[in-house]
Amino acid sequence: MEDYLRVAICEDNKVDYHLEKALIERSECKVHITHYPDGKSFLDDFLRAKFDLILMDIYMPEMDGIEVVRQIRLLDEEVPIAFLTASEEHALDGYRYHVGRYLTKPVQKAQMEEVLLYAEERKRNQPAITIMVNRQPVRIPLQQIIYIEQMSHKSIFHLENHEDVSIFSTLSSVINMLPSPPFISCHQSYCANLTKVVELNEEFRTLTMSDHSMVYVRRQDYSKVKKMWMSLHPEAK
């Protein structure tokens, strides 16, 4: 998989953004930077563009960084986030939403390098599954897996960023390698990562996944799947 950090900078101040971008580019970390000038544009892109680190300005017009982070945590509980701020008065909000770092403006080189190393360590230590692809071991972080589909004699891993990986294996063999929860066998042809489910449809017994695909659920398993999903998403009604 990718050997670089995907970093999002959500920052409305152009001067601050260019400083932060320059500090990242001067570091020894391999990075790909995406800039968002406001919270709405970031949230519109968040599920599609999977990030390894989010640098979030707190004071922005229309939607401040606290609200953006609150919405992020409804969708992703693990992605590392650092606040960009001239004040530490939002420490309680940072604790509530599991914000790992504060970068005080103007951001210093040592601060930025530390948070990049923190994100690299988090990425390196993500729980993962190792599978054989073309006789080569491939390590896939569990949080990148949206769902696994059985098709003929293959199991297809549908990953973030619309990337698929296929192996010759039965779905049951793959399921035995995955933790439950959040992974659950919901149909003879599907195993879903419940942290990637954004909507349940009881009428059609389907799960809408974060990539907008549909995964089917066995009639007898729908209640169990719904209960497990609700336990992982207590904010859902």
Side-chain angles (χ1 to χ4, degrees), residues 105-158:
K105 294 184 177 183
V107 179
Q108 302 299 307
K109 179 182 178 182
Q111 285 182 298
M112 187 63 77
E113 289 184 346
E114 193 279 332
V115 80
L116 291 171
L117 290 173
Y118 160 71
E120 280 192 325
E121 184 73 12
R122 287 283 299 270
K123 183 173 183 176
R124 188 163 46 245
N125 292 327
Q126 288 176 358
I129 181 175
T130 299
I131 58 177
M132 298 300 293
V133 179
N134 298 325
R135 300 184 180 180
Q136 296 295 322
V138 174
R139 183 178 182 274
I140 303 177
L142 298 184
Q143 71 169 16
Q144 289 189 13
I145 303 172
I146 302 174
Y147 67 100
I148 304 114
E149 178 181 11
Q150 178 82 59
M151 189 173 293
S152 187
H153 300 293
K154 290 184 177 182
S155 288
I156 304 171
F157 290 74
H158 296 274

Side-chain angles (χ1 to χ4, degrees), residues 176-209:
N176 289 334
M177 301 169 66
L178 298 168
S180 178
F183 292 90
I184 185 168
S185 173
C186 53
H187 186 275
Q188 65 182 9
S189 299
Y190 296 102
C191 174
N193 180 351
L194 292 179
T195 66
K196 305 298 181 180
V197 175
V198 296
E199 186 178 6
L200 288 79
N201 187 308
E202 188 167 2
E203 180 182 359
F204 296 104
R205 296 190 305 281
T206 57
L207 309 176
T208 303
M209 311 305 292

Side-chain angles (χ1 to χ4, degrees), residues 54-58 65-67 69-70 81-85 87 90-95 97 99-105 107 115:
I54 298 168
L55 304 179
M56 180 64 60
D57 185 23
I58 290 182
I66 304 298
E67 175 59 19
V69 168
R70 185 190 72 80
I81 301 173
F83 275 146
L84 300 166
T85 178
S87 168
H90 295 284
L92 184 59
D93 293 307
Y95 176 80
Y97 298 122
V99 175
R101 296 292 189 276
Y102 274 85
L103 301 185
T104 306
K105 294 184 177 183
V107 179
V115 80

Side-chain angles (χ1 to χ4, degrees), residues 3-237:
D3 63 351
Y4 57 85
L5 288 179
R6 295 177 59 87
V7 179
I9 304 178
C10 193
E11 170 71 78
D12 68 316
N13 185 300
K14 291 183 178 180
V15 174
D16 287 342
Y17 162 67
H18 286 295
L19 170 62
E20 292 147 11
K21 180 174 181 286
L23 289 174
I24 293 173
E25 291 176 340
R26 290 172 193 160
S27 74
E28 295 183 359
C29 297
K30 295 180 181 179
V31 297
H32 179 277
I33 300 169
T34 306
H35 174 230
Y36 298 92
D38 56 74
K40 184 181 184 304
S41 63
F42 172 82
L43 288 173
D44 287 345
D45 205 30
F46 175 67
L47 286 177
R48 182 192 64 80
K50 186 68 178 178
F51 295 109
D52 301 305
L53 173 65
I54 298 168
L55 304 179
M56 180 64 60
D57 185 23
I58 290 182
Y59 299 107
M60 294 184 294
E62 296 185 29
M63 183 185 297
D64 64 33
I66 304 298
E67 175 59 19
V68 178
V69 168
R70 185 190 72 80
Q71 294 194 38
I72 290 171
R73 287 303 184 222
L74 296 178
L75 302 168
D76 189 325
E77 297 179 354
E78 300 297 330
V79 60
I81 301 173
F83 275 146
L84 300 166
T85 178
S87 168
E88 295 189 6
E89 65 183 51
H90 295 284
L92 184 59
D93 293 307
Y95 176 80
R96 180 183 297 119
Y97 298 122
H98 310 293
V99 175
R101 296 292 189 276
Y102 274 85
L103 301 185
T104 306
K105 294 184 177 183
V107 179
Q108 302 299 307
K109 179 182 178 182
Q111 285 182 298
M112 187 63 77
E113 289 184 346
E114 193 279 332
V115 80
L116 291 171
L117 290 173
Y118 160 71
E120 280 192 325
E121 184 73 12
R122 287 283 299 270
K123 183 173 183 176
R124 188 163 46 245
N125 292 327
Q126 288 176 358
I129 181 175
T130 299
I131 58 177
M132 298 300 293
V133 179
N134 298 325
R135 300 184 180 180
Q136 296 295 322
V138 174
R139 183 178 182 274
I140 303 177
L142 298 184
Q143 71 169 16
Q144 289 189 13
I145 303 172
I146 302 174
Y147 67 100
I148 304 114
E149 178 181 11
Q150 178 82 59
M151 189 173 293
S152 187
H153 300 293
K154 290 184 177 182
S155 288
I156 304 171
F157 290 74
H158 296 274
L159 308 179
E160 298 283 1
N161 301 323
H162 307 287
E163 184 180 0
D164 294 346
V165 176
S166 300
I167 61 173
F168 285 98
S169 175
T170 63
L171 184 61
S172 59
S173 295
V174 172
I175 291 170
N176 289 334
M177 301 169 66
L178 298 168
S180 178
F183 292 90
I184 185 168
S185 173
C186 53
H187 186 275
Q188 65 182 9
S189 299
Y190 296 102
C191 174
N193 180 351
L194 292 179
T195 66
K196 305 298 181 180
V197 175
V198 296
E199 186 178 6
L200 288 79
N201 187 308
E202 188 167 2
E203 180 182 359
F204 296 104
R205 296 190 305 281
T206 57
L207 309 176
T208 303
M209 311 305 292
S210 60
D211 64 350
H212 306 296
S213 59
M214 295 290 183
V215 167
Y216 292 98
V217 181
R218 286 181 292 258
R219 181 189 301 274
Q220 65 269 26
D221 288 342
Y222 184 84
S223 295
K224 179 179 70 173
V225 171
K226 181 178 180 180
K227 182 178 180 180
M228 189 178 292
W229 182 77
M230 293 286 285
S231 71
L232 294 172
H233 299 79
E235 74 286 345
K237 302 296 181 182

